[in-house]
Amino acid sequence: DFPPEDRGYHNYDEVVAELGAAVADHPDIATLTSAGTSHEGRDIPVLKISDNAGQDEAEPEVLFDCNQHAREHLTTEMCLRIVERFTDGYATDPAIAEMVDSRELWVIPVVNPDGSIHDVASGQYLGWRKNRQGPGTDLNRNWGHKWGCCGGSSGNPNAETYRGTEPWSAPETAALRDFIDSRVVGGEQQIEAAIDFHTYSELVLWPFGYTTDQVTEGMTQEQYDRFERVGTEMARTNGYTPQQASGLYITDGGSLDWMWAEHGILAFTFEMYPAQGGGLEGFYPPDEVIAEETARNDEAVDVLIREAGV
Ligand code: 0X9
Ligand code: CA
Ligand code: CA
Ligand code: CA
Ligand code: ZN
């Protein structure tokens, strides 16, 4: 488990318990399902938040996913913050109620349960990034748009950015793909916007990651400008640096490229706190920072939820 001094972080079982409690406390506005199972057979829980949550209503949908990378535990806390704010805040905060009533929010706090558990199992942080399939696949190199195209991933199974044997070879990415595909209703993708949370570097990133070109096949100038406008607006609220994902380095098989190219989802990757971390240490900020560093993204989350209606 997490070391004693970091017990403010939620392990997988605690996340599942929190989600169960959110649904028990707010059955009208929250439902819990599973996107599928991990390599080791654990559920990948999906919490939906909306008025009449049990019904699929004609409301813009927004997806938040966290912890594709095992060691990026602060992101799981970010997803839990979103759950807490939009469920507990519903009865008392009119702005929250407005968003919950007019949107359908999907929150996936632990995309990579096996890796996340493995990273803390010994009581000492391992710095584990990948899933637990063989030597491990980097889930954020295993998505199906231009998989392995461009030097932004590795074909070496022992590498930290191993892309897997083929697109979707990891059950975790296949589960997310199936979930997102399932939100195509009447030929239209219902999810309009998404944030995939990572750590660290304090960045707001948008597609594409596989090329440094701004305008290319599947991205017009107008579309790019919208990403830049919304990304810059979100970054103004949290103090992160906004840029195209490939400005960091080239990645292929990343989630946001597929979400945008395949489904037209206004998809962002956030790299959370800290801005700089001296290698592995940056992945393990003390639990004392959780409250501040997750609340820091409240406004950006709201900006995107509102943008999804436009
Ligand atoms: O390399 C990654 O997957 C992300 N950085 S991290 O330090 N969290 O590993 C950045 C990904 C940005 N690009 C895409 N999502 N395409
Ligand atoms: Ca502590
Ligand atoms: Ca609703
Ligand atoms: Ca709907
Ligand atoms: Zn990451």
Side-chain angles (χ1 to χ4, degrees):
D1 207 349
F2 285 94
E5 66 272 20
D6 279 336
R7 286 285 153 80
Y9 285 92
H10 293 75
N11 65 29
Y12 175 76
D13 289 340
E14 291 163 349
V15 171
V16 171
E18 286 286 341
L19 300 180
V23 172
D25 293 348
H26 309 280
D28 297 343
I29 58 162
T31 59
L32 185 57
T33 53
S34 171
T37 49
S38 66
H39 177 70
E40 293 175 351
R42 294 182 181 90
D43 275 314
I44 300 170
V46 181
L47 192 89
K48 178 186 174 185
I49 307 169
S50 185
D51 64 341
N52 310 309
Q55 287 159 246
D56 182 11
E57 298 189 304
E59 296 161 344
E61 301 184 15
V62 182
L63 171 67
F64 302 100
D65 73 85
C66 297
N67 196 211
Q68 278 206 76
H69 289 142
R71 64 193 171 198
E72 299 172 10
H73 303 286
L74 184 62
T75 66
T76 296
E77 303 304 319
M78 185 68 232
C79 272
L80 290 177
R81 164 87 186 171
I82 293 170
V83 169
E84 184 196 354
R85 201 159 66 93
F86 287 95
T87 55
D88 291 345
Y90 185 71
T92 50
D93 184 334
I96 291 283
E98 212 280 307
M99 287 184 269
V100 170
D101 288 345
S102 62
R103 304 286 189 277
E104 293 181 312
L105 311 180
W106 301 101
V107 189
I108 308 182
V110 189
V111 173
N112 182 4
D114 304 349
S116 170
I117 289 170
H118 176 67
D119 189 51
V120 301
S122 74
Q124 293 210 336
Y125 295 127
L126 296 183
W128 190 261
R129 168 180 172 94
K130 301 188 283 181
N131 78 351
R132 292 292 291 157
Q133 191 174 15
T137 294
D138 182 347
L139 298 183
N140 208 28
R141 300 293 184 277
N142 189 239
W143 296 64
H145 185 69
K146 303 219 181 252
W147 178 83
C149 70
C150 303
S153 59
S154 175
N156 174 0
N158 295 312
E160 285 286 66
T161 56
Y162 177 50
R163 66 178 79 98
T165 53
E166 58 185 334
W168 316 113
S169 55
E172 297 85 359
T173 51
L176 259 72
R177 173 203 60 197
D178 290 349
F179 168 70
I180 294 166
D181 284 350
S182 80
R183 298 316 305 145
V184 176
V185 179
E188 241 191 274
Q189 175 55 252
Q190 302 297 299
I191 299 172
E192 294 191 13
I195 302 175
D196 172 44
F197 287 99
H198 288 255
T199 65
Y200 58 92
S201 291
E202 300 189 0
L203 303 170
V204 172
L205 305 173
W206 56 81
F208 282 110
Y210 78 88
T211 174
T212 54
D213 291 352
Q214 298 185 354
V215 174
T216 184
E217 184 196 347
M219 181 72 80
T220 66
Q221 186 67 55
E222 199 180 1
Q223 291 167 333
Y224 184 87
D225 289 347
R226 185 182 184 207
F227 272 111
E228 186 171 52
R229 175 179 60 76
V230 177
T232 303
E233 194 178 331
M234 291 193 290
R236 205 165 31 228
T237 70
N238 60 14
Y240 291 6
T241 301
Q243 62 183 59
Q244 186 177 343
S246 54
L248 188 57
Y249 43 77
I250 295 279
T251 55
D252 46 48
S255 62
L256 86 169
D257 287 4
W258 180 84
M259 288 190 203
W260 170 250
E262 188 71 23
H263 287 289
I265 296 169
L266 195 72
F268 292 89
T269 290
F270 278 24
E271 296 281 358
M272 296 177 65
Y273 177 89
Q276 285 164 354
L280 282 183
E281 267 165 61
F283 293 111
Y284 302 105
D287 60 2
E288 283 79 7
V289 312
I290 291 172
E292 183 178 8
E293 293 302 331
T294 57
R296 183 175 174 181
N297 286 319
D298 288 351
E299 267 189 82
V301 163
D302 294 355
V303 165
L304 196 68
I305 289 172
R306 297 201 170 98
E307 182 69 25
V310 178

